[in-house]
Amino acid sequence: MKHAYLCASLFLGLSYGAAAQSTPGPVEMKMTENICSCISELDFDQITTKQLAEKAFMDCFSEQGAMLLQLAEERHIDITDHPAMRTLGTELGKNLLAQNCPGFMKLSMAMVKDVQNGVSTGTTEGKLKRMDTKDFNYFVLTDNENMEKSFIWLRQFPGSENYMSNPQKFIGKKFRIKWQDVEVYVPNAKSYYTIKEVVGLEVL
């Protein structure tokens, strides 16, 4: 039970993001390698939801329960110090990224994407570059690499009335869009295409 609690603290750290990273010690490096090996051996065809991805990640951490205690000792961290344990979890995630752990990359994608009743959903952040008005309105965002991503405003979503009268005033603002994949028939192309429909929108 104690090991499961420690794993939960570390997992929360990985979920919450950045922290200053110090030079990894031998126990930390060994644990990172073990976690990477465990994740890379997963059957990703069976990991079809965010919940399954999180469980798989936690299971790999749980296998390192004894080493977690050694790692806390190596880093001079009190295991009851929740913020410190979350920071440690963040740094382990950075180690996995720094090592280009292929399994961790796949699992990370699964953690931000969900499949429920056959519908893929996810979230995307970026700056609103423009609103395209065709048969429907499209929110066009740009990411950190200035790549454009388009999301169709097909149906009502929470707060959608805020963008009806003058959506242009939001140009340049940073958004977090929650979307779901929908398959539509495009007459001109005489084929079906999958597009991302806006189901939630938040100004950051």
Side-chain angles (χ1 to χ4, degrees), residues 40-55:
S40 298
E41 292 173 359
L42 295 172
D43 183 358
F44 288 93
D45 289 338
Q46 302 300 317
I47 302 175
T48 57
T49 68
K50 178 180 179 180
Q51 288 74 22
L52 288 174
E54 291 176 349
K55 181 181 184 302

Side-chain angles (χ1 to χ4, degrees), residues 69-116:
L69 300 176
Q70 298 175 30
L71 179 56
E73 183 177 351
E74 178 180 78
R75 296 294 301 274
H76 307 292
I77 293 174
D78 184 342
I79 61 173
T80 63
D81 186 341
H82 300 171
M85 293 299 287
R86 285 195 293 269
T87 297
L88 181 56
T90 301
E91 294 181 0
L92 284 169
K94 287 184 176 182
N95 291 343
L96 290 166
L97 287 172
Q99 289 186 4
N100 293 317
C101 177
F104 182 70
M105 303 298 183
K106 291 182 181 180
L107 203 59
S108 296
M109 293 299 296
M111 286 180 184
V112 296
K113 183 177 181 181
D114 204 0
V115 180
Q116 295 179 339

Side-chain angles (χ1 to χ4, degrees), residues 52-65:
L52 288 174
E54 291 176 349
K55 181 181 184 302
F57 199 71
M58 288 289 289
D59 288 345
C60 284
F61 264 123
S62 296
E63 290 183 9
Q64 306 302 317

Side-chain angles (χ1 to χ4, degrees), residues 56-169:
F57 199 71
M58 288 289 289
D59 288 345
C60 284
F61 264 123
S62 296
E63 290 183 9
Q64 306 302 317
M67 193 169 287
L68 279 174
L69 300 176
Q70 298 175 30
L71 179 56
E73 183 177 351
E74 178 180 78
R75 296 294 301 274
H76 307 292
I77 293 174
D78 184 342
I79 61 173
T80 63
D81 186 341
H82 300 171
M85 293 299 287
R86 285 195 293 269
T87 297
L88 181 56
T90 301
E91 294 181 0
L92 284 169
K94 287 184 176 182
N95 291 343
L96 290 166
L97 287 172
Q99 289 186 4
N100 293 317
C101 177
F104 182 70
M105 303 298 183
K106 291 182 181 180
L107 203 59
S108 296
M109 293 299 296
M111 286 180 184
V112 296
K113 183 177 181 181
D114 204 0
V115 180
Q116 295 179 339
N117 300 322
V119 178
S120 296
T121 66
T123 58
T124 300
E125 294 183 6
K127 288 185 178 180
L128 181 64
K129 184 174 183 178
R130 65 179 184 275
M131 291 286 294
D132 283 346
T133 303
K134 302 173 185 176
D135 294 333
F136 297 93
N137 282 344
Y138 292 81
F139 291 88
V140 181
L141 302 187
T142 55
D143 58 20
N144 293 334
E145 297 179 354
N146 208 34
M147 297 291 291
E148 292 188 1
K149 298 180 181 179
S150 184
F151 307 85
I152 188 172
W153 178 358
L154 191 61
R155 290 172 286 195
Q156 184 178 18
F157 58 85
S160 59
E161 63 277 2
N162 297 328
Y163 308 97
M164 290 181 177
S165 59
N166 184 23
Q168 302 300 323
K169 70 180 181 180

Side-chain angles (χ1 to χ4, degrees), residues 11-50:
F11 180 77
L12 287 171
L14 285 165
S15 301
Y16 288 132
Q21 185 174 12
S22 59
T23 302
V27 176
E28 184 174 341
M29 291 304 299
K30 180 60 177 176
M31 184 171 177
T32 301
E33 292 172 5
N34 290 351
I35 293 171
C36 179
S37 296
C38 175
I39 293 174
S40 298
E41 292 173 359
L42 295 172
D43 183 358
F44 288 93
D45 289 338
Q46 302 300 317
I47 302 175
T48 57
T49 68
K50 178 180 179 180

